[in-house]
Amino acid sequence: MAYYPVMLDIEGKRCLVVGGGKVACRKIKSLLECGGKVTVISDKICDEVGELSKENKIDVIHRSYISGDAAGYFLVVAACDDARINELVANEAKESGILVNVADNLKLSSYIVPSVLRRQDLTIAVATGGKSPLLARKIREELEKTIGDRYEKLLDELSKARGEIKHQNLTIEEKIEIYENIIEKGEKI
């Protein structure tokens, strides 16, 4: 199976996480970073998930998943310790056309979560097709060491240039040449 890489706008959208442990917590934080409205269903939660709840960053329903709980959510993450519940969540989500990610089970997932580096508007996602999230994280950490502020400034310059030449009667090749010149100058800084 191959996953089509795409960035989803989840700002303000309802996201369900089934599970309250450390893996679920990583997924919760990722969803919160992107503005998702996160609800957690789990009979047990780790301290960090508890803190997020106390800070009113997430809603927690303290019980096990019940069939039908996924209804009405934009996307679902199944990350509990019980493989049967994860499978139930995945199957119900898929039947309802809801995007679902199951921790450590690619076959049940309709999307995977990459390791993400963010620098303002610059986002770099690293994925290994779910084969090794640890390797994806290591690669992201290496990229973090090399990606500095100059790329944020370069991105702003390219965006400005794009707006300026958008409606000019230039060929694609001429536009690309302008962008490449800006990139060359920016990389020398």
Side-chain angles (χ1 to χ4, degrees), residues 7 14 20 35 51 60 74 83 85 104 110 114-115 136 175:
M7 304 292 281
R14 297 179 66 223
E51 285 301 313
V60 176
F74 177 71
I85 291 176
D104 295 328
S110 60
S115 187
K175 290 178 182 180

Side-chain angles (χ1 to χ4, degrees), residues 115-164:
S115 187
V116 177
L117 179 153
R118 284 189 177 83
R119 295 281 194 278
Q120 293 179 352
D121 290 327
L122 178 65
T123 302
I124 300 172
V126 179
T128 57
K131 291 181 180 177
S132 178
L134 178 62
L135 179 60
R137 188 183 89 211
K138 294 283 187 192
I139 293 169
R140 177 195 38 98
E141 289 169 352
E142 288 298 315
L143 286 169
E144 284 176 338
K145 294 175 189 174
T146 61
I147 301 294
D149 292 342
R150 74 177 193 259
Y151 288 104
E152 293 169 30
K153 294 172 186 167
L154 183 56
L155 181 59
D156 289 340
E157 288 179 40
L158 287 164
S159 178
K160 181 181 173 187
R162 187 172 181 217
E164 291 172 358

Side-chain angles (χ1 to χ4, degrees), residues 55-76:
E55 296 169 1
N56 292 317
K57 294 183 178 178
I58 61 172
D59 293 323
V60 176
I61 300 171
H62 294 277
R63 64 167 169 75
S64 293
Y65 181 85
I66 298 172
S67 184
D69 280 343
Y73 286 91
F74 177 71
L75 64 79
V76 175

Side-chain angles (χ1 to χ4, degrees), residues 9-114:
D9 176 11
I10 64 166
E11 181 79 33
K13 294 190 173 100
R14 297 179 66 223
C15 304
L16 175 65
V17 177
V18 179
K22 293 184 185 284
V23 172
C25 188
R26 284 196 308 271
K27 306 280 187 171
I28 291 165
K29 287 179 177 179
S30 176
L31 293 168
L32 289 173
E33 272 184 25
C34 296
K37 295 176 78 174
V38 179
T39 299
V40 174
I41 297 177
S42 183
D43 50 359
K44 293 181 248 173
I45 58 172
C46 68
D47 291 341
E48 204 168 353
V49 172
E51 285 301 313
L52 291 170
S53 177
K54 285 178 191 172
E55 296 169 1
N56 292 317
K57 294 183 178 178
I58 61 172
D59 293 323
V60 176
I61 300 171
H62 294 277
R63 64 167 169 75
S64 293
Y65 181 85
I66 298 172
S67 184
D69 280 343
Y73 286 91
F74 177 71
L75 64 79
V76 175
V77 175
C80 72
D81 293 334
D82 188 332
R84 292 171 301 148
I85 291 176
N86 286 344
E87 187 172 351
L88 172 65
V89 172
N91 289 335
E92 287 187 3
K94 286 180 180 179
E95 286 172 11
S96 300
I98 300 168
L99 297 169
V100 63
N101 173 265
V102 181
D104 295 328
N105 193 327
L106 286 175
K107 291 180 181 174
L108 293 176
S109 299
S110 60
Y111 73 94
I112 57 174
V113 180

